[in-house]
Amino acid sequence: DSIRSCSISSLFDIPNLQKYARWFSSVSAGIMSLTLIIIMSKYYGKFAVNMTDWENYKTQLEYENTLTIRRYVFEVFNFYSSLVYIGFFKGKFNGYPGHHPLVFGVKMEDCPPGGCI
């Protein structure tokens, strides 16, 4: 939402693009999220292989079973962590008016009145 508000505010300065500001911010946030998921998927795949190699299994079957489980856990975490954040954590730690918690000096985002999902 903070990325969305930054892109919306900059697009509102251009009169011809004002009607597309919300659409552009939603699409750009989705593209950034997808890019991060793809990058982290490659990283988690290499990390799973390195962890499994480090354990030095005696048989190829043990190695492959462990690697499969690791990759599955990492991929599930990678693909669904944003949904878990939106569903369970976003908007829960906002404080109260006049006392908002700051993360790296920035106010935490909150949910609209209709909810986060």
Side-chain angles (χ1 to χ4, degrees):
D1 279 345
S2 60
I3 294 171
R4 184 180 301 168
S5 64
C6 289
S7 64
I8 287 175
S9 66
S10 64
L11 285 176
F12 275 138
D13 296 337
I14 304 170
N16 294 334
L17 296 180
Q18 288 178 357
K19 59 185 174 185
Y20 300 111
R22 279 207 177 278
W23 176 84
F24 179 76
S25 64
S26 295
V27 169
S28 62
I31 289 171
M32 285 187 277
S33 178
L34 176 64
T35 304
L36 185 63
I37 286 172
I38 291 170
I39 291 169
M40 292 306 293
S41 181
K42 291 181 187 266
Y43 172 76
Y44 286 144
K46 291 177 183 177
F47 185 62
V49 169
N50 289 340
M51 283 179 64
T52 309
D53 287 344
W54 181 66
E55 290 180 346
N56 199 16
Y57 287 99
K58 292 180 181 179
T59 65
Q60 186 67 25
L61 183 64
E62 285 180 309
Y63 176 86
E64 289 175 358
N65 287 341
T66 305
L67 181 60
T68 303
I69 291 170
R70 277 208 178 98
R71 283 192 177 198
Y72 175 77
V73 169
F74 286 154
E75 292 296 323
V76 165
F77 176 78
N78 188 27
F79 289 120
Y80 297 110
S81 60
S82 60
L83 294 177
V84 169
Y85 167 73
I86 290 170
F88 297 106
F89 298 108
K90 182 179 175 184
K92 304 289 189 234
F93 308 106
N94 288 332
Y96 51 88
H99 184 268
H100 300 285
L102 302 176
V103 176
F104 302 114
V106 178
K107 180 184 169 229
M108 293 183 68
E109 59 188 348
D110 54 349
C111 295
C116 290
I117 295 183

